Every structure is written in structure tokens, then in C-alpha cells.
Amino acid sequence: MDLVDIPENPVPSGAVTGAITTSDRFTLRFARWRPTTRKGLGTVCVFTGRAEFIEKYFETIGELRDRGFSVAALDWRGQGGSQRLLKNPRKGHIDDFSQFDRDLAAFMEKVVLPDCTPPYFALAHSMGGNILLRNSRRAPAWFERQVLSAPMLELAGRRASSPYVHGLAEILGLIGLGNSYVPGGSSTAASVRPFKGNVLTLDPGRFHRNNDIIDAEPGLGLGSATIGWLWAAGEAMREVMHPDFAPRVRVPTLMVAAGDDRVVSTRAIESLAFRMKIGSHIVIPAARHEILMERDSIREQFWAAFDAFVPGSPVFG
């Protein structure tokens, strides 16, 4: 699928797009760009969260290019313009997060390392942050540094993150219901729900812009998660929150948490950061889950933290 271009969200100039195949033969969509300046500071790889797609980050990609970075992005399997896992393309499904690890490896080996300028940095949101953290223990590391926006370490709320919910998802999967929507779930794309009452952002313009992308290309939309996804996500979150995990992270990491996050647990982000040897965090007050889709005043705080952490950004001169 080509990148979707709409007046409110034009494709950044100079895009190179294509498809790659993973080791288990899934097809993934990717895109990459050169910087708009001559600085040549390396490459930032952008990794989306659940139900997201490359087009949603065009604004962010432009801001990275203006800083002097090349940018590369992909759609995880099962979402965006990549191959879906079930016959119903609206179901957000995965059997195990190790499948996402294969996506990351294919992307790095077939797109980033051959065609993008080092050094390599990562910018990941939510589910993407979990995937990057879990892969940050490998040697050699893929990235020099990584910035994680509201990483998915635990779900918000005691009920959502309880062992009971995880155990129930496992039982339902074992009796053949893993491909079913979570209770109350539907095929309605998360991005096209009303702005009023949403838990993602306080910015109506960016919220509606993302809706318009789905309106222009419904194939990008993804509905609720499946029971199988919920179980797999629970396993991945347990892994990163295990007491032995934090000291083994090899990539310097900045986690940016949202002060009013109702999707993932900000407390879990703070807890993990305190246990990491080469990790830190900040909390942006009042921000909701999608920090990079937030109001300008909130996004400015994110970029100030990014610029202070990633070598070559404006604060480094």
C-alpha cells in the first residue's frame, strides 16, 4: 500500500517506500526519508503503537528531518499497510510478541542497515516501546539511544493489569477463543471514535486529522484487540517488569510518560526507570497517552526532552 496523502496530512517530500518479508514470510510496509538539512546526524527509526500506521507520524517525521536526521518507519505486522494475521483485517491480533521481534530484525537488516545513515536512534510509542525495550538486551544493540513515548509496561487501572485478566485471556485462548475480540470489542477503528471522551489526546485538530486519514483509506484502520493479543501483551509486559529485566537493558533509554495516561500505567514507567542502570524518565503533566498527538505546549516539552537526550539535536549544537 502506498502512503496515503490528504491535504491535512501530506506525505513528506522525498519518501522512499516499499515492502520487506520477515523470516516467517510476513510482508511489512516501510518508508524512509533523508533529512531536510545537510547536518546528517544519523537516522531515527520511528515505531508505532497498537492500531497505528506510518501516516499518523508524518508531522513527527518532518520535525525529525528538520533537525537533521534521516527517518525510517514501518508498520508492524497486523496493522497499517502491512500484512494482517487474520481473515478479518480489523482484528488487532498477535500470537506472541516474538513475532514483532522478527519484524524489527527484518526492518533493521533489510532497510536501515543497508540504506540509512548511522548512528541509529529509535523513537517508539506505547506497544512499540515495549518491543524496543525487550530487544534492547541484544548484543550488539540495534540503537545508540532510544526515546519511548508512554511505553506499554502495564495497562492503566488495577483491573486491566490484574493477574486475573491475564489468566482469563490464557484460558479463553486455550479453548479456541484467542482470535475473538476482547469482551466489548468491535471492528470500529480506534482512530474514528468521537473526540469527546477520548483518552488519547487533548488536541482536537490532531485527533480529527488522524480520523481523516482513516476516512481516506479505511484499509489502514484497526479495531479492538483480540483475546490472543491481550494474552501476548500480558506476557510481554510481565517480561519487562520482571525484577531481573531492568539491569540487562543495554541501550540508553529515555521514557516520556503522560501525566494523565488512562491507557498504560505511568507508575510502572517510573518504577522501571528507577531500576534501570542506563535509563531515565520524565512525566509531562496533563498529557494523555498519545503525547506526540497532543497540544503544542505538551509536544514542546517532549521535544525539549528528546533534544536534550539524543546527540546531534539542537541542544547539542
Side-chain angles (χ1 to χ4, degrees):
M1 181 188 294
D2 292 334
L3 295 173
V4 176
D5 187 295
I6 62 173
E8 309 94 309
N9 194 61
V11 177
S13 62
V16 176
T17 61
I20 54 174
T21 303
T22 65
S23 60
D24 55 348
R25 299 184 179 180
F26 272 84
T27 302
L28 310 178
R29 181 179 69 156
F30 75 87
R32 57 183 176 86
W33 290 264
R34 296 292 187 188
T36 54
T37 71
R38 296 184 179 181
K39 290 183 179 180
L41 301 177
T43 300
V44 177
C45 298
V46 175
F47 299 100
T48 63
R50 196 199 82 82
E52 294 189 316
F53 39 86
I54 294 170
E55 287 87 347
K56 190 171 177 178
Y57 286 84
F58 282 172
E59 181 181 19
T60 298
I61 289 165
E63 291 163 320
L64 289 167
R65 296 176 72 204
D66 288 346
R67 281 168 164 75
F69 294 103
S70 295
V71 181
L74 91 157
D75 286 331
W76 301 111
R77 67 178 68 195
Q79 59 189 57
S82 291
Q83 183 178 344
R84 303 295 168 101
L85 284 80
L86 302 178
K87 290 183 179 179
N88 182 346
R90 287 281 182 166
K91 288 185 174 181
H93 182 73
I94 198 75
D95 293 320
D96 191 285
F97 268 43
S98 63
Q99 294 173 295
F100 290 134
D101 301 341
R102 294 177 194 145
D103 296 352
L104 175 60
F107 177 65
M108 297 303 296
E109 292 167 358
K110 297 184 178 183
V111 177
V112 178
L113 296 180
D115 298 315
C116 299
T117 305
Y120 304 121
F121 307 101
L123 171 56
H125 174 62
S126 195
M127 184 187 81
N130 179 290
I131 298 166
L132 266 290
L133 268 176
R134 289 172 43 260
N135 280 273
S136 63
R137 296 168 298 172
R138 72 182 300 276
W142 292 122
F143 302 105
E144 300 285 336
R145 294 190 178 200
Q146 57 189 11
V147 178
L148 310 181
S149 162
M152 188 186 76
L153 311 183
E154 286 182 1
L155 300 180
R158 292 182 180 179
R159 181 177 298 179
S161 60
S162 71
Y164 168 78
V165 171
H166 184 68
L168 179 60
E170 182 175 18
I171 292 170
L172 292 174
L174 290 172
I175 63 174
L177 297 178
N179 292 355
S180 301
Y181 283 121
V182 295
S186 73
S187 62
T188 302
S191 300
V192 297
R193 293 169 185 163
F195 175 75
K196 184 178 180 180
N198 91 88
V199 298
L200 302 178
T201 176
L202 294 165
D203 188 281
R206 292 185 173 96
F207 183 88
H208 292 304
R209 178 192 67 193
N210 296 332
N211 286 359
D212 291 340
I213 299 169
I214 298 292
D215 287 341
E217 179 44 74
L220 289 175
L222 196 67
S224 302
T226 63
I227 290 168
W229 185 95
L230 181 62
W231 177 83
E235 290 291 292
M237 289 186 284
R238 281 185 174 187
E239 182 178 349
V240 297
M241 293 305 293
H242 190 280
D244 294 339
F245 179 88
R248 296 164 59 197
V249 172
R250 296 173 178 268
V251 181
T253 301
L254 171 65
M255 295 185 287
V256 183
D260 188 23
D261 201 325
R262 305 173 200 179
V263 178
V264 305
S265 170
T266 295
R267 181 175 296 181
I269 294 169
E270 294 174 318
S271 174
L272 183 68
F274 289 137
R275 291 184 278 117
M276 291 173 67
K277 294 181 179 179
I278 52 175
S280 60
H281 82 287
I282 66 165
V283 179
I284 301 180
R288 292 187 181 174
H289 180 60
E290 293 186 350
I291 297 170
L292 284 163
M293 307 297 149
E294 265 289 6
R295 297 177 298 184
D296 288 347
S297 59
I298 290 172
R299 296 181 82 255
E300 288 167 1
Q301 294 176 66
F302 174 90
W303 284 119
F306 180 96
D307 291 339
F309 182 74
V310 177
S313 283
V315 75
F316 282 85

